[in-house]
Amino acid sequence: MGDYLKKWAMLVGACLLLFVFDRYAFWALNGFWQNLILLAGINMVAALGLNLTNGYCGQFSLGHAGFMAIGGYATAFFTMMFAWPDWMLTFPHPEFPIVFPISLILGGVLAAAAGLLVGIPSLRLKGDYLAIATLGFGEIVRVFLVNFEYMGAARGQTNIPQYSNFFWVYSIVLISTVVILNLIRSSPGRAIISVREDELAAEVMGVWTVYYKVAAFLLGAFFAGVAGGLLGHLLTILTPEKFNFVLSIEIVVIVVVGGMGSTSGVLLAAVLLTALPELLRFTSGAASIPGLSLLGEPSMRMILYSLTMIFLMIFRPKGLCGNKEMWELWGRKGS
Amino acid sequence: METVLQVLLNGLVLGSVYALIALGYTMVYGVLKLINFAHGDVLMLGAFAGFYIGSSVADSVPMPLLVTLVLSMVICAVIGVTIERLAYKPVRAAPSLTALITAMGVSLFLEYTTALVLGPTPRGFPSEKLLPTSTVMAIPGLPNISNRQLVVMGTALALMGLLYYIVVHTKMGKAMRAVSFDKDAARLMGINVDQVISFTFAIGSALAAAGGVLFALTYGRVDPYMGIYPGLKAFIAAVLGGIGSIPGAMLGGLLMGFTESTASYFVSTYRDAVLFSVLVIILLVRPAGILGRGLVEKV
Amino acid sequence: MMQVKHLTRRFGGLVAVNGVDLEVEEGSLVGLIGPNGAGKTTCFNMLSGVIAPSEGAITFQGKRVDGKKAYQFTQLGIARTFQNIRLFKSLSVLDNVKIACHFNCGYSMFRSFFHGPVFQRKEDEITEHAMEMLKIFKLDHDAHEISTNLAYGEQRRLEIARAMATRPKMLLLDEPAAGMNPTESAELMDLIRFVREKFATTVVLIEHDMKFVMGLCQQILVLDYGTPIAYGNPAEIQANPKVIEAYLGKDEEG
């Protein structure tokens, strides 16, 4: 009992520390690093969600960008167009008003509702067929957004307030990590994993697999929606093109590189794979060294990114961490 | 009436090219259980090969289109085999998702390497030089059929026929079917599985190259990212038909072609949404594609 | 305890199981035998809800259960094992058993996000129950081992332990002695007898090993080409000319 309260008090404390850091230190970094750190955090949230669906439940989804799009657009709608009472837009502070977290949650909930919708096909489809059906879902969302005049159609929604800051992004990363690890170390979490391990055996052990598959989709979509909301309020612009299937693939790559079913591995991979292309961009600044300027070429970054993917898969086919957590791997080496 | 026929004709032309590309996906899936995500990019390389060959031979050889087509197919066959040897072979024993990510990596690698080396901007394909357009049939009340449409469709159908012959009647084709049925049993029967896989990649990539040249011929341009959407749609066609099934890929390709031409006529802005909705609906009714084998698990 | 009436299953044109009638008494130990391809496993799949019968009715403890899903069968008290062991391969031995406790876990998914006091108490109960099962099946020393690292016989035991953790009233064992040597299968016989007494469980099993079935079961149902050809106690079955013709006749030479 006491232990439980202490843990949650620690989490709140950690969020407060993040807030202090955000106010008094984060601004000192230059814009490039700020952006990189925030993007990494947003990718973490999206990948944590996908890891639940793909990694823990084994339901291979290629439609994560669709959920992110729904969350992103919905959150922007709620912060910009919804008729909130005026005080909510300035309370407790105009830079971080209460409407932002509320809108993020609403965006996540809408994405989760879409996840429910997509989760249902997953009851009939397996493996590659499920992957392609979810990819289809993502593309359908994108095409609808291209035709969605109310929020800018193909031009996208502009002038979104820049509410996403270090505090919000990393508090959400922290809370998501704790909640997901808690879920996974519980009976419903084991039920989700049992679906991945052997669906039939799970069913025969009394696990209502249908429920847990849909739940995994729904929760994964929720986190994707929140990540989408954070992304929109970081970039201040959302276009349908941002959410094409390449984004879904990027998130899948984070999960696979990190290790399907390893929360810490996925967090690490999100940092590495977000930073890698951006840091390569950085090298273009050091163009005085012959040959190095080539590294700054935009396509060169993607080439190195893709080679990293290929070599990682060849030499660490189960990702960085397999389905273990980092501390479990270290623990084993130590003993 | 004329519009209906026009839509059907467009669907048939487009569909036959999709079918051609879908065959590559389905054959590779058959022998390796791998979704070769880079297939669309091999198509792009084929189109670029066609661009360079076509531009240089257009005035100097007879039947320049045929020469262009054959040479691009040969080049891509070599590229396909090389990709398999370097990237896919090392992950053959790994879980299928690992191989899929590798394929995605190869896909990005091909796109951006092409963009780096050849430049990211689109270029005009010498369609007019290779095959000057003319209207072959202009009967009032019927849609106009151009020679280009006929050539595209004819080439696609001829190549599919050739493939069908190879798979059904040649020794290599039988070996391919054996490997896709049971790789280990095939190996025990003395089939050189590596060789069969290489052969499959060669054939599949050659077909992709042909598809690329036909696409470039129709739309008159090539760029490093041109393979993404045709590749994706052809892949969907393969899944629709039941991935691993050769007649399925052909059927799925035609279905995609018809759906796309119908959708672009009626609701052009929602074209891709219609396409993917059809995909999702068909999969819900037939979870393993139209001609796919059921996924019944033995207990 | 369980009444099966005219159970039939067709796959396309093939009739895999044809009109099986069976009455399983509470506390009994019933064997299901028959040559390869006789429809034993299909029959089991229907009794455990894995596939739905084409025709016929299954009544368990007075309730019609056919048409329900496999997980509902388990929750009603019918657990099973598989012919080819199906453990949760990358999970620990303990987690394998804990998953079987899931539907009795007593808290919602919502609670599992927070790991509150109710969660903690229920989770302790699950761990305790699972460890108890492992102890009974002498697997407690390997509780934290990954399940595929166990020896073959231990994996079989774990599968039974996992099934028993669902607290079944009836246990279906699909070829539990497959791949075991005589010593191991003798141990298994003792184990099955022990489980039956300790948990007051009704047991139905499929087995190819005649010595095993004859030595263990009180009642035996013989299937041939999906059709029941005999039902009775071991002595009756051994004397039944139809059975000898279909099955034992060939077996006696070997």
Side-chain angles (χ1 to χ4, degrees):
Chain A
M1 176 76 193
D3 211 33
Y4 151 69
L5 286 178
K6 209 159 83 187
K7 267 190 210 156
W8 286 95
M10 269 167 70
L11 188 67
V12 173
C15 289
L16 283 175
L17 275 180
L18 288 175
F19 184 75
V20 172
F21 184 80
D22 180 52
R23 289 291 99 186
Y24 299 103
F26 191 62
W27 59 269
L29 293 169
N30 75 31
F32 170 82
W33 287 104
Q34 283 190 7
N35 224 28
L36 182 60
I37 291 170
L38 294 179
L39 273 178
I42 291 170
N43 280 340
M44 283 183 200
V45 177
L48 282 174
L50 188 68
N51 191 30
L52 210 52
T53 322
N54 279 21
Y56 288 115
C57 196
Q59 303 300 302
F60 190 43
S61 161
L62 271 179
H64 219 54
F67 299 127
M68 291 177 75
I70 291 173
Y73 272 79
T75 310
F77 169 83
F78 283 116
T79 54
M80 295 172 72
M81 290 141 182
F82 192 75
W84 300 102
D86 280 341
W87 64 269
M88 287 178 78
L89 294 168
T90 49
F91 176 83
H93 190 281
E95 277 175 42
F96 38 92
I98 188 86
V99 291
F100 185 49
I102 295 174
S103 303
L104 277 176
I105 291 172
L106 289 172
V109 168
L110 270 173
L116 185 69
L117 206 72
V118 183
I120 292 166
S122 79
L123 306 178
R124 266 176 79 74
L125 302 175
K126 289 199 195 320
D128 307 328
Y129 291 94
L130 178 61
I132 205 70
T134 50
L135 191 155
F137 158 78
E139 288 293 294
I140 291 169
V141 170
R142 192 179 60 79
V143 174
F144 273 91
L145 290 176
V146 167
N147 289 284
F148 189 40
E149 274 301 330
Y150 183 67
M151 293 186 83
R155 302 177 308 280
Q157 175 67 49
T158 48
N159 298 326
I160 304 171
Q162 198 169 34
Y163 290 145
S164 292
N165 55 23
F166 184 79
F167 164 67
W168 282 122
V169 172
Y170 278 88
S171 296
I172 290 171
V173 168
L174 198 62
I175 294 167
S176 309
T177 309
V178 170
V179 164
I180 286 176
L181 282 176
N182 276 354
L183 172 67
I184 285 312
R185 285 134 191 236
S186 74
S187 200
R190 288 189 295 268
I192 286 175
I193 295 176
S194 74
V195 173
R196 170 192 80 193
E197 291 288 303
D198 188 329
E199 203 175 322
L200 183 69
E203 180 89 11
V204 164
M205 289 304 119
V207 174
W208 186 14
T209 52
V210 165
Y211 177 85
Y212 287 101
K213 275 203 261 182
V214 173
F217 258 101
L218 193 140
L219 290 171
F222 176 82
F223 288 107
V226 171
L230 288 170
L231 188 63
H233 289 78
L234 173 68
L235 304 177
T236 71
I237 173 169
L238 283 175
T239 56
E241 221 21 64
K242 177 86 202 153
F243 298 101
N244 61 15
F245 80 98
V246 176
L247 179 64
S248 293
I249 291 175
E250 281 174 13
I251 309 290
V252 169
V253 169
I254 292 177
V255 172
V256 176
V257 166
M260 308 243 299
S262 165
T263 294
S264 49
V266 164
L267 293 177
L268 177 68
V271 175
L272 291 180
L273 290 175
T274 314
L276 186 68
E278 299 299 323
L279 289 183
L280 289 171
R281 189 208 302 273
F282 210 52
T283 56
S284 64
S288 52
I289 306 162
L292 205 62
S293 64
L294 197 64
L295 287 174
E297 288 278 322
S299 16
M300 199 61 205
R301 284 189 281 130
M302 288 309 292
I303 292 170
L304 289 175
Y305 178 79
S306 60
L307 285 176
T308 314
M309 260 163 84
I310 297 170
F311 282 112
L312 252 168
M313 286 301 104
I314 293 176
F315 296 109
R316 268 199 94 88
K318 286 188 163 176
L320 294 170
C321 296
N323 60 4
K324 299 269 191 310
E325 296 299 342
M326 272 188 245
W327 49 91
E328 289 167 352
L329 291 172
W330 281 326
R332 208 178 47 187
K333 264 179 202 151
S335 65
Chain B
M1 189 59 198
E2 199 182 330
T3 36
V4 174
L5 288 176
Q6 187 67 55
V7 165
L8 282 179
L9 177 72
N10 291 346
L12 194 62
V13 173
L14 194 60
S16 55
V17 182
Y18 282 150
L20 199 61
I21 308 164
L23 283 170
Y25 277 111
T26 230
M27 288 195 308
V28 167
Y29 189 86
V31 295
L32 276 187
K33 302 288 169 279
L34 161 76
I35 296 174
N36 182 10
F37 226 84
H39 196 60
D41 303 295
V42 175
L43 174 152
M44 174 272 293
L45 293 177
F48 264 99
F51 167 76
Y52 284 108
I53 296 166
S55 308
S56 54
V57 302
D59 306 313
S60 51
V61 296
M63 299 182 50
L65 182 60
L66 187 68
V67 174
T68 306
L69 196 68
V70 171
L71 285 178
S72 334
M73 284 171 74
V74 171
I75 291 172
C76 281
V78 174
I79 293 174
V81 173
T82 314
I83 292 173
E84 196 277 323
R85 279 290 142 101
L86 293 182
Y88 298 155
K89 203 174 173 204
V91 293
R92 216 183 271 169
S96 68
L97 205 57
T98 306
L100 180 63
I101 300 295
T102 312
M104 288 173 177
V106 171
S107 167
L108 289 175
F109 179 77
L110 295 180
E111 281 160 27
Y112 288 97
T113 308
T114 311
L116 184 74
V117 177
L118 303 178
T121 44
R123 301 167 187 221
F125 191 78
S127 305
E128 269 310 309
K129 278 191 190 166
L130 291 173
L131 186 70
T133 27
S134 60
T135 303
V136 180
M137 229 169 58
I139 303 166
L142 287 178
N144 290 342
I145 300 176
S146 72
N147 60 337
R148 209 170 271 169
Q149 283 174 314
L150 279 182
V151 166
V152 168
M153 204 161 57
T155 313
L157 290 178
L159 286 171
M160 279 189 263
L162 183 67
L163 173 83
Y164 196 76
Y165 176 80
I166 292 175
V167 171
V168 175
H169 293 289
T170 64
K171 207 172 165 190
M172 199 44 140
K174 280 182 190 141
M176 263 170 71
R177 281 184 291 152
V179 170
S180 70
F181 197 77
D182 186 333
K183 207 187 285 171
D184 295 322
R187 184 175 287 124
L188 293 174
M189 292 296 119
I191 292 173
N192 183 342
V193 173
D194 284 343
Q195 202 185 333
V196 170
I197 289 171
S198 295
F199 181 75
T200 308
F201 267 88
I203 297 274
S205 306
L207 292 182
V213 171
L214 296 180
F215 253 104
L217 189 71
T218 308
Y219 295 110
R221 47 179 272 178
V222 289
D223 73 81
Y225 313 108
M226 67 179 282
I228 300 178
Y229 273 87
L232 189 62
K233 287 174 186 170
F235 171 50
I236 291 169
V239 173
L240 265 183
I243 198 159
S245 150
I246 286 179
M250 295 180 190
L251 185 69
L254 289 178
L255 193 69
M256 281 299 279
F258 284 129
T259 313
E260 184 168 335
S261 71
T262 313
S264 25
Y265 184 76
F266 290 107
V267 279
S268 61
T269 51
Y270 284 98
R271 188 191 69 199
D272 286 1
V274 171
L275 228 53
F276 286 104
S277 305
V278 168
L279 165 85
V280 172
I281 291 164
I282 290 185
L283 282 185
L284 285 181
V285 182
R286 298 269 316 163
I290 299 169
L291 298 181
R293 271 173 292 172
L295 300 159
V296 180
E297 198 177 4
K298 197 160 164 20
V299 183
Chain C
M1 169 163 252
M2 181 186 257
Q3 289 86 32
V4 175
K5 289 239 158 46
H6 198 71
L7 199 63
T8 302
R9 173 73 204 201
R10 292 182 209 94
F11 292 108
L14 177 87
V15 186
V17 174
N18 189 6
V20 170
D21 293 297
L22 181 67
E23 168 101 37
V24 183
E25 304 263 325
E26 180 142 13
S28 60
L29 218 165
V30 179
L32 187 57
I33 62 170
N36 280 331
K40 302 179 299 283
T41 295
T42 308
C43 205
F44 249 45
N45 285 346
M46 288 189 277
L47 295 186
S48 58
V50 170
I51 59 174
S54 310
E55 266 172 50
I58 305 169
T59 315
F60 183 69
Q61 294 190 313
K63 268 183 280 181
R64 275 289 288 270
V65 291
D66 51 285
K68 290 192 189 295
K69 302 274 183 239
Y71 78 94
Q72 291 168 315
F73 272 67
T74 310
Q75 297 187 355
L76 286 169
I78 305 173
R80 72 169 284 178
T81 63
F82 294 94
Q83 190 176 333
N84 42 347
I85 308 173
R86 297 186 79 135
L87 295 171
F88 303 120
K89 293 198 181 77
S90 67
L91 302 186
S92 73
V93 169
L94 183 61
D95 281 344
N96 263 274
V97 180
K98 279 183 172 180
I99 285 168
C101 309
H102 167 65
F103 69 92
N104 282 321
C105 75
Y107 60 88
S108 63
M109 190 184 282
F110 189 70
R111 280 195 192 279
S112 63
F113 294 142
F114 303 102
H115 281 203
V118 174
F119 164 88
Q120 214 55 57
R121 199 174 63 236
K122 298 283 180 190
E123 197 67 2
D124 289 346
E125 281 170 24
I126 291 173
T127 312
E128 202 179 314
H129 178 64
M131 280 311 286
E132 199 183 318
M133 281 298 143
L134 290 178
K135 243 180 226 131
I136 289 169
F137 289 87
K138 301 196 187 74
L139 290 163
D140 50 326
H141 294 297
D142 293 320
H144 298 286
E145 192 60 63
I146 298 296
S147 63
T148 41
N149 293 351
L150 293 184
Y152 181 80
E154 290 175 321
Q155 292 194 18
R156 284 255 173 229
R157 279 218 304 279
L158 175 56
E159 234 202 348
I160 301 176
R162 196 177 63 168
M164 289 314 294
T166 66
R167 306 174 203 254
K169 302 185 185 88
M170 185 166 155
L171 178 64
L172 308 174
L173 300 170
D174 194 350
E175 297 200 25
M180 287 188 169
N181 63 33
T183 331
E184 285 172 329
S185 65
E187 280 172 18
L188 182 68
M189 267 163 90
D190 290 338
L191 184 71
I192 292 172
R193 282 199 196 98
F194 168 77
V195 164
R196 196 174 137 238
E197 275 157 37
K198 163 110 187 166
F199 300 98
T201 314
T202 311
V203 178
V204 181
L205 60 86
I206 295 177
E207 193 42 74
H208 271 299
D209 182 347
M210 280 306 130
K211 235 166 92 190
F212 192 92
V213 181
M214 297 297 167
L216 195 62
C217 300
Q218 300 154 329
Q219 297 292 316
I220 295 169
L221 175 71
V222 189
L223 288 183
D224 192 23
Y225 293 109
T227 315
I229 55 170
Y231 182 69
N233 63 38
E236 288 165 356
I237 294 298
Q238 273 165 326
N240 189 315
K242 268 184 173 168
V243 177
I244 294 168
E245 191 191 319
Y247 196 92
L248 290 177
K250 281 177 269 167
D251 206 59
E252 258 169 76
E253 293 158 27

